Amino acid sequence: MDLLNNKNSKKGSGFNILGGESTHGGYGAGTLNLDNMTPVFVDVLSGETYVDMGAMHARSEVEKGIKFLPNKDEVPNGKPYWLIWITVDHNAKGAYYAGVTACELTVDREIRRGYKSLPDHVNKMDKSLKRQIIVEHMDSVSKQALGKFLKGFNEKMWDNSEQKLREDLGV
């Protein structure tokens, strides 16, 4: 899925651990297919919502040049962001947002430090792949920005998604 407003527009910036559908037996068995996952950022202060495929490798524009620390208190002036892992799937109605999980991070460009919990980011990515919706911990303004973005990207996919997603995002 290639959502609109991709700030990382380098050719080939997509990330595939394994392309295609075959993961049965032999080479590639047990690997993940991230073809249908897209990282979306919400800038909490501005409400700007955009795709940055660099996040698949922890190399998004937000993350570049930042040393991340596991203690939020060490970055008291960090600018808040949400990194949302979005997995798209198909059902009888068509494509839909199947997994949507949000991870917190903060960045202080001045001191080139940030906060994020790597285990949380990995776990939320996994939960998105497993078609879970985990956004209730986001602030209400960011939830609405994400909901508006997803609906605006593809209203049919939005309509095909679980009611829980629309309710949790308040859209």
Side-chain angles (χ1 to χ4, degrees):
M1 174 176 124
D2 190 0
L3 294 174
L4 302 174
N5 302 324
N6 188 344
K7 286 200 169 197
N8 186 359
S9 59
K10 291 181 186 174
K11 193 169 180 100
S13 64
F15 179 71
N16 299 323
I17 290 179
L18 178 70
E21 296 297 319
S22 176
T23 58
H24 299 2
Y27 182 76
T31 57
L32 295 175
N33 183 340
L34 300 179
D35 288 344
N36 297 325
M37 178 175 272
T38 299
V40 172
F41 280 90
V42 175
D43 179 325
V44 174
L45 300 180
S46 72
E48 183 184 10
T49 307
Y50 56 90
V51 171
D52 189 334
M53 292 304 291
M56 298 297 281
H57 296 286
R59 292 190 183 125
S60 66
E61 288 300 317
V62 169
E63 297 165 298
K64 282 183 183 173
I66 301 297
K67 178 180 179 181
F68 283 96
L69 306 171
N71 184 352
K72 192 174 184 176
D73 296 336
E74 294 181 65
V75 192
N77 299 316
K79 182 178 178 181
Y81 293 90
W82 291 103
L83 169 55
I84 298 96
W85 299 109
I86 300 177
T87 302
V88 173
D89 203 349
H90 290 79
N91 60 22
K93 297 178 186 175
Y96 70 104
Y97 302 117
V100 181
T101 59
C103 310
E104 176 185 18
L105 68 150
T106 62
V107 173
D108 186 335
R109 289 250 163 245
E110 192 173 310
I111 63 170
R112 298 179 57 151
R113 297 290 181 266
Y115 159 77
K116 72 176 174 181
S117 168
L118 188 56
D120 182 55
H121 283 240
V122 171
N123 288 333
K124 294 280 176 54
M125 180 188 248
D126 179 59
K127 289 177 190 260
S128 178
L129 284 170
K130 291 177 179 171
R131 312 312 192 242
Q132 294 182 26
I133 296 169
I134 305 172
V135 295
E136 63 276 354
H137 59 294
M138 294 174 70
D139 62 282
S140 60
V141 173
S142 296
K143 283 192 227 182
Q144 288 182 345
L146 177 61
K148 185 176 176 183
F149 177 81
L150 293 175
K151 185 177 180 180
F153 172 71
N154 188 316
E155 194 163 355
K156 185 163 175 51
M157 285 175 54
W158 175 256
D159 291 340
N160 289 342
S161 298
E162 282 185 45
Q163 181 67 26
K164 176 179 174 30
L165 178 63
R166 293 187 293 279
E167 288 173 2
D168 286 358
L169 293 178
V171 177

